[in-house]
Amino acid sequence: VQLQASGGGSVQAGGSLRLSCAASGRTFSNTMAWFRQPPGKEREFLGAIRRSAGSAYNTYYSDSVKGRFTISRDNAKITVYLQMRSLKPEDAAVYFCAATSKTPIVSALSNVLMYDYWGQGTLVTVSS
């Protein structure tokens, strides 16, 4: 699976951005997630969209972005999105998408080791 993240850029505080993560190479992964990494800091889990029973998907978010960020997927385009609203200067980071064929338990979704594939990252800057 190859992941291509895009959509990063510069935005003023309070603004919005939508990131995309296009997957190719194999069938769509059961779980896809977004992480970010500010300069000099560790990679932080933002949220994930995980396949549940049948063809349904559930989304999960970290407390730091819940209510402001929304993850969705378009199976026809084999793409996962991260809609970000009410952006703050502290949201500035390189944003990564990740994928795995596994369906981790909820408590494991934030573990970077659960993911087999990573996109190259896209930079988001937020000015105050």
Side-chain angles (χ1 to χ4, degrees):
V1 175
Q2 291 81 43
L3 302 177
Q4 180 71 41
S6 62
S10 297
V11 64
Q12 288 191 327
S16 300
L17 274 178
R18 189 180 77 160
L19 306 183
S20 301
C21 178
S24 62
R26 294 184 66 179
T27 56
F28 215 175
S29 301
N30 286 323
T31 303
M32 297 190 71
W34 286 96
F35 290 76
R36 68 185 178 192
Q37 188 164 17
K41 297 186 178 181
E42 293 186 352
R43 197 163 293 193
E44 175 192 7
F45 172 77
L46 301 177
I49 185 164
R50 186 192 70 175
R51 188 168 185 166
S52 64
S55 58
Y57 290 87
N58 293 324
T59 51
Y60 306 88
Y61 300 96
S62 71
D63 289 341
S64 65
V65 302
K66 193 177 296 182
R68 295 193 300 127
F69 290 10
T70 303
I71 297 174
S72 60
R73 61 187 285 156
D74 184 331
N75 289 336
K77 295 182 179 179
I78 320 180
T79 299
V80 170
Y81 302 98
L82 179 67
Q83 177 68 54
M84 305 185 292
R85 300 180 176 86
S86 301
L87 284 163
K88 307 173 184 179
E90 52 263 42
D91 292 318
V94 177
Y95 283 68
F96 298 89
C97 57
T100 177
S101 59
K102 301 184 287 289
T103 51
I105 59 175
V106 175
S107 60
L109 289 172
S110 59
N111 187 341
V112 296
L113 298 178
M114 295 303 304
Y115 299 92
D116 305 307
Y117 309 100
W118 290 84
Q120 84 288 2
T122 185
L123 179 64
V124 173
T125 58
V126 184
S127 57
S128 56

